[in-house]
């Protein structure tokens, strides 16, 4: 699974998203077979960032491998809004990681 600055749970006021959309609730030991590439923006909105941290905590508890690509100075949508060498490098690293897993 690949996720770029995701929301891993519906946020308050998201009427169009079913409450069952919460990957943290379905992570279990069997999830360890699915590698995850997760790109995290350091300047993400706090509500989104909290859902990412909840996911990372649940992944660690269940032995899920997460290749975390951190972009400390990136905002949500950093590859468009923060087109820096660091953001380009993060996109390239995430893509290489996904491709490596697909080839395995």
């Amino acid at each position: 699974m690949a996720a770029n600055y995701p929301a891993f749970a519906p946020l308050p006021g998201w009427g169009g998203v079913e409450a069952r959309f919460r990957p943290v609730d379905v992570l279990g030991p069997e999830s360890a077979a699915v590698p995850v590439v997760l790109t995290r923006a350091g300047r993400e909105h706090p509500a989104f960032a909290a859902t990412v941290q909840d996911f990372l905590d649940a992944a660690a508890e269940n032995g899920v491998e997460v290749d975390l690509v951190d972009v400390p100075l990136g905002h949500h949508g950093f590859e468009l809004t923060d087109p820096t060498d660091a953001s380009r490098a993060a996109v390239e690293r995430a893509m290489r990681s996904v491709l490596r897993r697909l080839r395995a």
Side-chain angles (χ1 to χ4, degrees), residues 1-81:
M1 177 179 83
N4 294 314
Y5 45 79
F8 279 117
L11 302 181
W14 281 17
V17 179
E18 295 180 29
R20 66 185 176 94
F21 175 72
R22 189 168 167 79
V24 170
D25 292 342
V26 298
L27 283 177
E30 67 282 355
S31 302
V34 179
V36 176
V37 178
L38 172 59
T39 304
R40 177 172 60 179
R43 293 182 175 174
E44 179 62 273
H45 186 282
F48 288 112
T51 70
V52 170
Q53 190 58 56
D54 289 346
F55 179 84
L56 290 171
D57 293 344
E61 289 173 15
N62 288 285
V64 176
E65 175 192 345
V66 178
D67 183 357
L68 186 59
V69 180
D70 270 319
V71 186
L73 300 177
H75 296 88
H76 191 89
F78 67 86
E79 74 279 12
L80 297 174
T81 60

